[in-house]
Amino acid sequence: MTSKNMTKKQIQIFFERLRDERPEPKTELNYSNPFELLIAVVLSAQATDISVNKATDRLYPVANTPEAIYALGIDGLKEYIKTIGLYNSKATNVIKTCRILIDQHQSQVPNTREALEALPGVGRKTANVVLNTVFGQPTMAVDTHIFRLGNRTGLARGKDVLEVEHRLIKVIPKEFIIDAHHWLILHGRYCCIARKPKCHECPVSDVCQWPERFEFGAVKRPVV
């Protein structure tokens, strides 16, 4: 059965509840400056935040600037990130990205989508994370968790991540848009999980439009 679209009132309640649950949501990637975040997000593609943090917790005390990581070289960088999936291609992309940042951006992380997506290993999702988290822009990085959640709950249905992204930007109230990415990814990661969603403890199960939620313990409440 397909979920219906949430109403404006339900979307408002949805984000009010997520905000109450996590007033100051943050990425679970460890970083202390924009460059560290950029590299961590590049490394996180098809990898867990935990695995990335284990690697960068070793890497960043040694090298956390474009110049320092570039000086490691591809083989030197691999020694720090070899526990992460796809580390060979990621090491190559990171070194190339560092060279471009040094040569074209005064070693600073650029604040435009065009410049970010021109960096090796940086796609739309990574650019959205950086633009939102570092520069406070109202972007939406849609990963597998948010794609699933958007379709399942009826918050933002779409056949691909780009359609879900555009739908989310359209329907999320402005007061929530800056933190929405973090609220959604954390809710999808820990509550609205893929195979056995924790509907029995979900704070938004009454506004969720997933028909199967009651089979997973959602409590029936008056329709909002």
Side-chain angles (χ1 to χ4, degrees):
M1 297 176 65
T2 303
S3 302
K4 298 185 298 182
N5 290 328
M6 283 189 191
T7 65
K8 287 184 179 181
K9 181 180 180 181
Q10 289 167 339
I11 292 173
Q12 179 73 25
I13 293 171
F14 182 92
F15 282 102
E16 286 176 354
R17 300 259 184 87
L18 295 187
R19 180 180 60 189
D20 291 343
E21 186 178 48
R22 293 186 175 92
E24 296 182 359
K26 297 178 181 178
T27 178
E28 293 187 315
L29 290 169
N30 296 337
Y31 75 99
S32 61
N33 60 52
F35 175 72
E36 287 186 359
L37 178 64
L38 171 64
I39 299 306
V41 179
V42 169
L43 296 177
S44 71
Q46 299 182 49
T48 66
D49 288 359
I50 293 174
S51 68
V52 173
N53 287 338
K54 287 181 179 179
T56 57
D57 284 350
R58 293 178 56 243
L59 171 64
Y60 289 159
V62 175
N64 72 337
T65 65
E67 290 84 358
I69 289 183
Y70 186 78
L72 290 176
I74 293 175
D75 290 337
L77 178 57
K78 285 182 183 180
E79 288 302 308
Y80 290 95
I81 67 170
K82 61 186 177 182
T83 55
I84 302 174
L86 306 176
Y87 73 94
N88 284 308
S89 60
K90 289 177 180 178
T92 299
N93 285 335
V94 167
I95 293 299
K96 289 180 179 179
T97 284
C98 288
R99 187 71 258 172
I100 292 172
L101 292 177
I102 295 167
D103 292 343
Q104 300 179 22
H105 301 286
Q106 296 76 50
S107 297
Q108 301 299 307
V109 175
N111 63 356
T112 67
R113 179 184 303 283
E114 180 181 18
L116 284 167
E117 291 187 10
L119 300 173
V122 177
R124 185 177 182 87
K125 184 177 72 173
T126 296
N128 279 339
V129 172
V130 173
L131 291 172
N132 176 260
T133 304
V134 174
F135 300 108
Q137 296 185 24
T139 57
M140 179 59 59
V142 178
D143 67 351
T144 55
H145 297 298
I146 296 178
F147 180 76
R148 176 182 66 253
L149 188 153
N151 278 286
R152 177 185 278 170
T153 65
L155 173 63
R157 294 163 55 203
K159 63 181 181 294
D160 54 40
V161 293
L162 188 59
E163 188 173 345
V164 170
E165 176 189 329
H166 289 161
R167 179 70 178 166
L168 286 169
I169 294 297
K170 181 178 179 180
V171 303
I172 296 174
K174 289 183 179 180
E175 64 182 297
F176 303 116
I177 193 65
I178 296 301
D179 289 321
H181 166 256
H182 296 306
W183 282 320
L184 293 176
I185 195 171
L186 292 171
H187 189 65
R189 183 175 290 169
Y190 296 113
C191 186
C192 195
I193 56 181
R195 294 189 178 182
K196 293 183 178 180
K198 301 177 182 179
C199 301
H200 61 288
E201 60 185 53
C202 177
V204 292
S205 62
D206 56 328
V207 294
C208 174
Q209 298 300 298
W210 189 41
E212 298 176 42
R213 65 192 185 280
F214 300 114
E215 298 176 22
F216 289 87
V219 178
K220 291 189 177 183
R221 301 172 183 170
V223 177
V224 176

